[in-house]
């Protein structure tokens, strides 16, 4: 069944089909609403970041695009086959992860659905940590109903981290790199993180929700000072690195397209292809690392490899070779 278009979509399609100005009266007739309702909708579109010029006695003209990751813009831009076919957008959410999990629970056909929020009030990070999510970031969750064996679940965060790293590189030309297990770094500072929630039975994955947090146009020093002593590693943002704002609509589009292509690669080619691509985009192998769990250093040594199940192989100083499945890593470059 074709999706019915929303009011903003109706307006945008009318404005886009008109190279010059179109009168409020013509818009009102096309949409079947009053003149004052047209004016309110134009005001709303401007709040969404569209540049709409108005000329007294002549009408309105679309003069510039928004860079907000609005659902109708994402759906228009995406060339994917399932990721982002449905986008739920909130100006404020507790956590997109909780919303996406609730959707996955109740809706069988939510494979590829995306929940995105401008701001999260209770953003969640790995290992039950808080994730500060002010306006300007890219905070989104993707629902997957994967057709991969349960053993492949550990690879999903690698898929997502790889996708985000590639999207940042392509969209901003910044030198984004991966740090185990699934942090995206720029110049040794964290710019994005991945959270995975899964519902699975012995032989079957019911659903997986991949949460993606990118410090896009946020002030990383403000986040760092709010985290204070809880800050585990240095953080940065795309804006801080570029010295200007990134286009979040373009970035979200790239992230979602790359999530789909990396996920299909996992389905079709298996773990090895994903881990190899992950390693190519990481510069931590061969460096000395400390493995931290619950605030304690449990191993020190050299990060030697990432195994096909996603665990990190370390040549430790005192316990031989150890494969680590979770925790935080401090890398010495
Ligand atoms: C990490 O600790 O590195 C993972 C952070 C994941 C944050 C994202 S933001 C969108 C989604 N919703 C959440 O509440 N968390 C994830």
């Amino acid at each position: 069944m074709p999706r019915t278009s929303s009011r903003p979509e109706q307006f945008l399609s009318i404005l886009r089909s008109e190279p010059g100005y179109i009168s409020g009266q013509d818009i009102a007739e096309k949409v079947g609403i009053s003149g004052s309702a047209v004016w309110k909708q134009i005001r709303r579109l401007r709040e969404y970041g569209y540049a709409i010029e108005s000329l007294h006695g002549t009408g309105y003209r679309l003069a510039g695009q928004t860079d907000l990751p609005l659902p109708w813009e994402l759906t228009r831009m995406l060339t994917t086959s399932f990721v982002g076919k449905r986008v739920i957008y909130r100006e404020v959410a507790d956590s997109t992860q909780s919303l996406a999990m609730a959707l996955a629970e109740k809706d069988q056909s939510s494979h590829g659905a995306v929940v995105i929020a401008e701001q999260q009030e209770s953003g969640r990070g790995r290992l039950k940590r808080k994730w500060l999510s002010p306006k300007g970031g890219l905070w989104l969750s993707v629902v997957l109903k994967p057709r991969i064996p349960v053993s492949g679940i550990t690879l999903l965060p690698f898929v997502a981290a790889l996708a985000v790293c590639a999207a940042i590189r392509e969209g901003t030309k910044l030198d984004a790199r991966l740090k185990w297990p699934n942090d995206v770094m720029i110049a040794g500072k964290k710019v994005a993180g991945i959270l995975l929630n899964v519902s699975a039975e012995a032989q079957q994955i019911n659903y997986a929700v991949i949460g993606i947090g990118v410090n896009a146009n946020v002030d990383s020093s403000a986040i760092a000072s709010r985290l204070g002593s809880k800050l585990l590693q240095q953080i940065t943002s795309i804006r801080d690195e570029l010295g200007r704002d990134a286009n979040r609509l373009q970035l979200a589009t790239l992230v979602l397209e790359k999530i789909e292509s990396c996920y299909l690669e996992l389905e079709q080619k298996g773990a090895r292809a994903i881990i190899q691509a992950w390693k190519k985009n990481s510069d931590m192998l061969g460096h000395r690392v400390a493995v931290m769990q619950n605030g304690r250093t449990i191993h020190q040594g050299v990060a030697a490899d990432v195994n096909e199940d996603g665990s990190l192989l370390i040549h430790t100083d005192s316990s031989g070779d150890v494969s680590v499945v979770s925790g935080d890593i401090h890398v010495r470059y």
Side-chain angles (χ1 to χ4, degrees):
M1 199 171 62
R3 209 173 53 89
T4 49
S5 54
S6 64
R7 208 23 67 78
E9 278 172 292
Q10 277 180 310
F11 264 63
L12 288 163
S13 132
I14 293 171
L15 289 167
R16 283 191 179 116
S17 66
E18 195 53 61
Y21 285 86
I22 177 163
S23 73
Q25 181 64 33
D26 282 352
I27 301 178
E29 274 167 22
K30 282 184 195 263
V31 184
I33 54 174
S34 69
S36 70
V38 167
W39 183 80
K40 276 192 197 141
Q41 192 55 235
I42 294 282
R43 191 177 59 188
R44 188 95 186 103
L45 288 175
R46 284 179 175 143
E47 282 165 10
Y48 279 138
Y50 296 93
I52 300 176
E53 288 174 351
S54 54
L55 200 59
H56 191 67
T58 309
Y60 301 100
R61 186 177 84 87
L62 183 63
Q65 255 293 0
T66 180
D67 67 352
L68 294 188
L70 295 162
W72 51 86
E73 291 298 342
L74 281 170
T75 316
R76 201 169 71 93
M77 307 257 298
L78 283 168
T79 56
T80 48
S81 62
F82 65 95
V83 169
K85 289 287 155 202
R86 183 161 161 206
V87 179
I88 296 167
Y89 175 85
R90 295 274 185 278
E91 281 179 17
V92 183
D94 274 357
S95 155
T96 58
Q97 200 73 357
S98 322
L99 287 176
M101 281 159 70
L103 178 69
E105 284 281 348
K106 71 163 199 266
D107 189 339
Q108 280 312 310
S109 61
S110 52
H111 183 52
V114 173
V115 183
I116 188 158
E118 288 296 324
Q119 203 177 337
Q120 298 185 114
E121 289 181 331
S122 311
R124 294 155 47 184
R126 279 176 59 234
L127 308 171
K128 301 209 160 74
R129 294 180 186 129
K130 263 193 190 168
W131 182 264
L132 291 182
S133 321
K135 266 191 181 169
L138 188 60
W139 323 124
L140 63 88
S141 300
V142 183
V143 177
L144 294 174
K145 306 241 165 167
R147 292 168 302 189
I148 53 169
V150 175
S151 59
I153 282 178
T154 52
L155 272 305
L156 290 177
F158 288 82
V159 162
L162 194 54
V164 172
C165 185
I168 294 177
R169 291 174 79 91
E170 186 176 324
T172 67
K173 310 290 175 239
L174 290 167
D175 188 19
R177 297 272 160 189
L178 293 165
K179 174 173 170 251
W180 190 91
N182 27 65
D183 289 346
V184 184
M185 317 290 286
I186 298 175
K189 300 180 206 161
K190 179 163 170 171
V191 71
I194 310 296
L195 175 68
L196 176 72
N197 287 101
V198 177
S199 156
E201 283 151 37
Q203 296 305 322
Q204 190 196 326
I205 306 176
N206 299 325
Y207 66 80
V209 173
I210 299 181
I212 294 172
V214 185
N215 295 336
N217 302 332
V218 298
D219 177 359
S220 57
S221 57
I223 295 182
S225 69
R226 277 187 61 194
L227 287 172
S229 60
K230 289 193 213 123
L231 188 67
L232 295 158
Q233 56 189 340
Q234 283 191 297
I235 58 169
T236 190
S237 70
I238 294 182
R239 178 206 268 163
D240 290 347
E241 296 297 325
L242 280 180
R244 59 176 163 79
D245 278 352
N247 181 321
R248 285 186 305 136
L249 173 58
Q250 184 211 19
L251 191 62
T253 306
L254 282 170
V255 166
L256 295 174
E257 284 182 346
K258 289 182 189 299
I259 292 261
E260 178 168 302
S261 56
C262 293
Y263 171 76
L264 291 175
E265 184 148 347
L266 173 66
E267 258 193 6
Q268 286 153 15
K269 299 198 187 148
R272 178 169 300 180
I274 295 300
I275 295 298
Q276 267 173 3
W278 191 96
K279 288 198 282 191
K280 261 198 200 149
N281 284 278
S282 174
D283 54 6
M284 64 172 278
L285 295 182
H287 289 273
R288 283 198 65 76
V289 291
V291 184
M292 316 285 294
Q293 266 172 14
N294 303 322
R296 279 186 34 241
T297 301
I298 57 161
H299 296 293
Q300 295 201 63
V302 174
D305 204 358
V306 177
N307 300 312
E308 278 187 24
D309 61 358
S311 57
L312 178 67
L313 177 71
I314 300 178
H315 295 322
T316 65
D317 298 342
S318 51
S319 323
D321 281 359
V322 168
S323 286
V324 181
V325 293
S326 81
D328 293 304
I329 297 288
H330 287 192
V331 186
R332 223 175 285 138
Y333 286 100

